């Protein structure tokens, strides 16, 4: 039986990786010009956070980041296994990158992440993409310095997709984040839910929570470095702490992190309805820094389909949950995920989904046509619904949500909202709306005003609305908490 207790990588093993980083750094320091690295990321925010770790390691090795793969000495593609479309894109782009190696044989091409953690994918790369040098799965990310050093020292092609199925946590490795206001902060890894359509537990391992003191220390560092919008990450953040045995759950962690002083916002994703609780909503409502934004996927409005998906809740229980959340936070911005065309879904099942959409009144929906994932239970379920029927349902879902979305956006007309400016508007509307930013709830706002800077908290009066964005003028500045 697998012991699911959280386990950190021993300090001696981390020290070995740091030594490998130093060896590569000394090698690169002898070059007349610093070498470059290029990273491309597919998939979720957790993949983006993983890429930040890889970039941090490469930067410590003496590589300089480039946005042009053609000039890179090391190319890293971090892959996603959740959707078939992502896999096709990865293989398409890998064909382009391997052509680079035809003229620059010293380029090191690496593939990592969820997709390559699957044995059949790793085998395909081994046979069909001979110019790929290093393939490593999610459990081996922390050993990337060692793998790269081996390859640079003349090792044959490296394929490492093994590792402990319950996963490990590696603390103390470098990270390189993008400049700006936003930062990812992983609080846990893996998933124990085993939804029948999902490959994540098989490629990410079992749930394991970071120690709260490590999370708090990283948050304090991010705030000190000037990050203003920090997202806590996990496949299911509100199951945090179950494996630690210290009596701390996600609501407790939120309260602890909220006590860190500074001018910043704290948000999180993704939550699972079966683990969301009144205690969590109370912690969100009572926090100074915690955003009133909740991403709570329901996937289907049919109890029959939810049971086949192994989701662990019913339609009415889910709707009661979001009603409870809104009682605590009337200004809650709510988003969700929906899968259309799950095996066996009938028109009646789909009508249940539309009912949840209408009653839920979501600000944003992420909608997907079911994508078969080899190795999951759903892949073996019978499915007699045609592709045309599924697409028709998908289109009707989008049409329903578009009307709701417009109504919710229009309700912000003439309202005053606090916005964190995080970029330039790039001429999306009249030139007077020079900057863009996000509300506490994550809504996009294009802003006009004087003396605006990225990282400013501003009060904005909404002048116009559209389906995708709000438009407003600055009427004040300052962080309100």
């Amino acid at each position: 039986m697998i012991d699911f207790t959280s386990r950190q990588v021993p300090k001696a093993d981390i020290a070995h990786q740091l030594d490998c980083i130093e060896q590569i750094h000394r090698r690169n320091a002898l070059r007349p010009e610093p070498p470059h690295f290029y990273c491309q990321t597919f998939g979720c925010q957790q993949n983006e956070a993983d890429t930040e770790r890889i970039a941090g390691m490469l930067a410590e090795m003496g590589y300089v980041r480039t946005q042009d793969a053609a000039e890179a000495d090391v190319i890293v593609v971090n892959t996603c296994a959740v959707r078939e479309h992502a896999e096709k894109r990865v293989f398409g782009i890998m064909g382009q990158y391997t052509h680079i190696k035809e003229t620059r044989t010293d380029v090191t091409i690496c593939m990592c992440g969820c997709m390559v953690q699957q044995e059949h994918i790793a085998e395909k790369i081994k046979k069909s993409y001979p110019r790929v040098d290093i393939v490593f799965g999610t459990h081996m990310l922390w050993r990337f310095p060692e793998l790269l050093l081996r390859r640079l020292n003349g090792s044959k092609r490296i394929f490492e997709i093994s590792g402990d199925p319950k996963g490990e946590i590696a603390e103390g490795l470098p990270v390189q984040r993008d400049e700006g206001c936003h930062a990812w902060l992983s609080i846990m890894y893996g998933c124990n839910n085993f939804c029948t359509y999902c490959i994540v537990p098989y490629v990410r391992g079992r749930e394991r929570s970071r120690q709260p003191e490590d999370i708090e220390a990283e948050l304090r560092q991010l705030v000190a470095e000037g990050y203003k919008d920090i997202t806590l990450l996990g496949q299911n953040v509100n199951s945090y702490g179950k494996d630690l045995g210290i009596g701390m759950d996600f609501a407790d962690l939120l309260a602890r992190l909220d006590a860190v002083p500074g001018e910043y916002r704290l948000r999180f994703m993704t939550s699972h309805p079966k683990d969301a609780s009144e205690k969590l909503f109370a912690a969100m409502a009572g926090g100074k820094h915690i955003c009133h934004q909740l991403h709570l996927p329901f996937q289907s409005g049919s109890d029959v389909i939810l049971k086949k998906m192994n989701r662990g809740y019913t339609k009415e229980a889910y709707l009661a949950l979001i009603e409870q959340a809104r009682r605590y936070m009337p200004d809650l911005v709510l988003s969700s995920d929906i899968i259309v065309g799950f095996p066996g879904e009938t028109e009646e099942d789909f009508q249940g989904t539309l009912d949840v959409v209408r009653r839920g009144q979501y600000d944003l929906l992420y909608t997907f046509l079911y994508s078969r994932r080899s190795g999951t239970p759903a892949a073996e379920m019978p499915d007699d619904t045609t592709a045309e029927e599924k697409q028709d349902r998908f289109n009707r879902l989008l049409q329903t949500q578009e009307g709701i979305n417009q109504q919710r956006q229009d309700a912000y007309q003439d309202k005053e909202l606090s916005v964190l400016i995080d970029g330039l508007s790039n001429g999306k509307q009249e030139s007077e709306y020079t900057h863009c930013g996000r509300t506490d709830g994550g809504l996009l706002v294009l802003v006009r005003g004087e003396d605006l800077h990225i990282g400013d908290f501003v009060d904005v009066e909404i002048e116009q609305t559209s389906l995708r964005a709000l438009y407003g003028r600055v009427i004040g500045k300052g962080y309100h908490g």
Side-chain angles (χ1 to χ4, degrees):
M1 180 178 294
I2 297 172
D3 175 14
F4 292 132
T5 303
S6 178
R7 180 163 65 87
Q8 289 194 353
V9 174
K11 291 183 178 179
D13 291 347
I14 297 297
H16 175 60
Q17 299 307 313
L18 295 175
D19 179 64
C20 291
I21 288 174
E22 178 59 27
Q23 289 186 55
I24 298 173
H25 178 82
R26 289 198 297 266
R27 179 194 302 241
N28 286 335
L30 298 176
R31 299 176 62 154
E33 297 290 338
H36 292 80
F37 76 93
Y38 174 84
C39 289
Q40 183 166 8
T41 309
F42 294 85
C44 66
Q45 292 86 354
Q46 188 61 66
N47 271 22
E48 292 183 30
D50 287 347
T51 296
E52 291 178 343
R53 294 279 187 273
I54 294 169
M57 297 178 205
L58 287 164
E60 289 292 315
M61 295 172 193
Y63 292 94
V64 176
R65 192 163 198 164
T66 177
Q67 299 303 316
D68 183 2
E71 69 175 22
D73 298 272
V74 175
I75 296 173
V76 181
V77 179
N78 192 356
T79 65
C80 173
V82 173
R83 306 285 298 167
E84 183 181 16
H85 178 63
E87 286 190 6
K88 290 180 178 178
R89 286 184 62 204
V90 167
F91 283 126
I93 205 73
M94 289 311 299
Q96 298 176 36
Y97 294 157
T98 55
H99 284 314
I100 295 174
K101 203 160 184 174
E102 292 177 359
T103 55
R104 297 182 55 215
T105 57
D106 59 338
V107 175
T108 303
I109 299 178
C110 312
M111 293 182 69
C112 64
C114 296
M115 187 176 115
V116 305
Q117 185 67 45
Q118 303 167 95
E119 288 187 12
H120 70 281
I121 295 293
E123 195 61 30
K124 179 176 179 177
I125 297 167
K126 187 179 294 185
K127 292 179 178 178
S128 303
Y129 295 84
R131 293 189 176 89
V132 174
D133 299 278
I134 304 173
V135 173
F136 60 100
T138 56
H139 304 317
M140 290 290 170
L141 186 146
W142 65 273
R143 287 181 54 195
F144 174 59
E146 171 190 342
L147 303 180
L148 181 58
L149 181 61
R150 281 169 49 192
R151 182 59 173 168
L152 293 175
N153 284 338
S155 169
K156 295 181 179 180
R157 300 173 72 201
I158 297 170
F159 285 76
E160 284 285 2
I161 62 168
S162 58
D164 195 326
K166 75 176 180 61
E168 295 173 301
I169 294 177
E171 301 284 359
L173 290 170
V175 58
Q176 184 185 75
R177 292 182 169 90
D178 291 336
E179 295 182 359
C181 304
H182 302 277
W184 310 115
L185 173 50
S186 297
I187 66 168
M188 62 184 301
Y189 306 94
C191 184
N192 290 354
N193 290 319
F194 289 94
C195 300
T196 57
Y197 54 82
C198 185
I199 197 69
V200 168
Y202 305 96
V203 296
R204 282 273 179 191
R206 306 302 178 265
E207 288 178 358
R208 57 230 187 252
S209 305
R210 295 178 67 193
Q211 295 293 331
E213 58 268 24
D214 292 329
I215 298 170
E216 181 183 335
E218 188 170 350
L219 174 63
R220 288 181 179 275
Q221 181 181 354
L222 290 171
V223 173
E225 291 174 354
Y227 290 99
K228 303 292 183 69
D229 195 303
I230 299 163
T231 304
L232 307 179
L233 292 181
Q235 258 70 44
N236 179 18
V237 289
N238 49 1
S239 65
Y240 173 85
K242 290 182 178 180
D243 57 323
L244 293 179
I246 59 175
M248 174 176 282
D249 62 14
F250 182 53
D252 297 325
L253 177 68
L254 273 181
R256 174 172 177 162
L257 298 180
D258 185 58
V260 172
E263 296 186 357
Y264 66 93
R265 289 171 172 169
L266 201 60
R267 61 184 86 241
F268 58 87
M269 65 185 314
T270 296
S271 295
H272 194 296
K274 73 177 181 59
D275 295 314
S277 66
E278 185 173 6
K279 181 181 177 182
L280 170 61
F281 304 147
M284 294 173 66
K288 176 182 179 181
H289 301 97
I290 305 168
C291 294
H292 291 183
Q293 177 185 14
L294 182 63
H295 184 68
L296 198 64
F298 73 86
Q299 306 296 6
S300 173
S302 161
D303 288 347
V304 173
I305 297 299
L306 288 172
K307 186 174 182 179
K308 291 177 69 174
M309 288 178 167
N310 191 36
R311 291 293 288 173
Y313 54 85
T314 64
K315 168 186 173 180
E316 292 303 325
Y318 174 88
L319 288 167
L321 200 61
I322 61 175
E323 181 180 340
Q324 184 181 68
R326 282 183 165 137
R327 284 200 298 270
Y328 277 94
M329 297 168 285
D331 60 341
L332 181 71
V333 173
L334 183 66
S335 59
S336 191
D337 294 346
I338 299 175
I339 295 174
V340 175
F342 186 81
E345 180 190 71
T346 65
E347 178 62 24
E348 181 181 0
D349 296 326
F350 176 68
Q351 287 298 325
T353 295
L354 289 182
D355 185 51
V356 174
V357 171
R358 295 185 183 105
R359 293 165 65 182
Q361 291 291 297
Y362 296 91
D363 297 273
L364 182 65
L365 286 181
Y366 297 92
T367 54
F368 307 94
L369 281 167
Y370 169 72
S371 179
R372 181 182 178 275
R373 299 287 81 194
S374 178
T376 62
E380 307 304 320
M381 294 181 182
D383 183 14
D384 57 3
T385 307
T386 67
E388 290 75 18
E389 288 176 299
K390 293 178 182 180
Q391 187 63 54
D392 175 66
R393 291 173 188 170
F394 189 78
N395 293 341
R396 283 185 280 152
L397 172 63
L398 294 182
Q399 185 177 27
T400 299
Q401 176 57 24
E402 188 171 294
I404 294 169
N405 191 197
Q406 188 65 68
Q407 290 178 2
R408 294 193 66 81
Q409 290 285 94
D410 289 346
Y412 288 102
Q413 181 70 41
D414 301 326
K415 294 264 182 85
E416 294 181 10
L417 301 173
S418 176
V419 174
L420 171 62
I421 294 178
D422 59 10
L424 301 177
S425 64
N426 298 320
K428 294 179 181 178
Q429 182 67 348
E430 293 101 359
S431 58
E432 61 182 322
Y433 293 98
T434 57
H435 289 70
C436 60
R438 296 281 174 176
T439 67
D440 174 280
L443 300 174
L444 175 64
V445 183
L446 301 187
V447 177
R448 67 182 181 92
E450 301 295 329
D451 193 30
L452 300 179
H453 303 92
I454 293 173
D456 286 347
F457 284 99
V458 295
D459 298 318
V460 174
E461 181 182 56
I462 302 303
E463 301 174 305
Q464 304 177 49
T465 68
S466 73
L467 192 62
R468 303 302 176 199
L470 305 172
Y471 303 84
R473 66 181 182 93
V474 174
I475 58 174
K477 293 187 177 183
Y479 174 79
H480 304 300

